[in-house]
Structures are given as C-alpha cells and as structure tokens.
C-alpha cells in the first residue's frame, strides 16, 4: 500500500503561507491596535518585512479577495487596500 502524502491531497491555495517572511514573527507586529502610540512604527516595521517577502503578491491577492479588513497584508494597511480595491474597480469599469 502506498503512503498518502498530506500535501498531495490538500488544495494548494494557501501553500504560499509556508514561504511567508512573517511566518515565525509575532503577529502583533502586523495587527497594531488602532492608531495608538507606536502603531505607525509597527506598521512601518511590518511593511519592511513585507518588502522582502517572496510571496507578497500572493498575500496581497488573498487579503483583497477575502476582504481582510485589518492588519498589514502584502505590504498594505487596511486603508491602503481599500484604496487599492477602489482603484482596481475604477479601472475595471473604464475597461468595460
Ligand atoms: S507580504 Fe507581509 S504579511 Fe504577507 S506573507 Fe509576506 S511578510 Fe507576511
């Protein structure tokens, strides 16, 4: 009987997470509490990690498609993602 490999039976939709530069970091860095003291600094630190992440594009696509409404994903804050989504929607309307 052949062994069934777990990774061959699971959808690979989220395998990009295995390559995340933030994988072993404190998630609080990417989810600063509101606009309180230190938030801006933490956001900049999180963005610096994202800047060197090999799966940044996949991460941002995931956050946009699943409408993640908090935290830094793919190098963008929630407000930056909202603006990005609006810009993409405008471009789609123009193209149609
Ligand atoms: S882009 Fe940023 S938040 Fe996304 S996986 Fe990479 S380091 Fe983590």
């Amino acid at each position: 009987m052949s062994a069934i490999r777990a990774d061959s039976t699971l959808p690979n939709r989220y395998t990009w997470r295995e390559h995340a530069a933030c994988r072993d970091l404190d998630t609080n860095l990417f989810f600063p509490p509101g606009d309180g003291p230190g938030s801006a600094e933490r956001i900049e630190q999180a963005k610096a990690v994202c800047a060197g992440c090999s799966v940044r594009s996949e991460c941002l696509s995931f956050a946009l498609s699943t409408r993640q409404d908090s935290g830094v994903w793919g190098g963008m804050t929630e407000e930056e993602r909202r603006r990005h989504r609006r810009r993409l929607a405008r471009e789609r309307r123009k193209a149609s």
Side-chain angles (χ1 to χ4, degrees):
M1 182 164 93
S2 63
I4 298 173
R5 291 174 36 144
D7 62 349
S8 67
T9 60
L10 295 172
N12 66 359
R13 187 173 173 197
Y14 302 123
T15 55
W16 58 267
R17 291 180 180 197
E18 295 169 14
H19 305 286
C22 60
R23 187 172 175 196
D24 297 322
L25 299 180
D26 182 353
T27 54
N28 288 325
L29 180 64
F30 294 83
F31 295 92
D35 297 330
S39 284
E41 185 179 339
R42 283 163 66 175
I43 287 170
E44 289 311 310
Q45 289 173 346
K47 285 183 169 185
V49 175
C50 295
C53 180
S54 65
V55 292
R56 184 176 176 179
S57 169
E58 290 87 344
C59 176
L60 180 58
S61 293
F62 172 82
L64 292 171
S65 66
T66 58
R67 295 192 170 267
Q68 298 296 317
D69 60 2
S70 64
V72 173
W73 292 76
M76 288 189 185
T77 63
E78 51 267 41
E79 179 55 32
E80 290 167 337
R81 288 194 305 277
R82 272 193 285 276
R83 276 187 263 137
H84 186 66
R85 263 198 304 269
R86 287 195 292 266
R87 188 171 49 246
L88 291 175
R90 273 196 306 275
E91 288 172 6
R92 276 196 297 271
R93 280 195 299 275
K94 279 184 187 173
S96 61

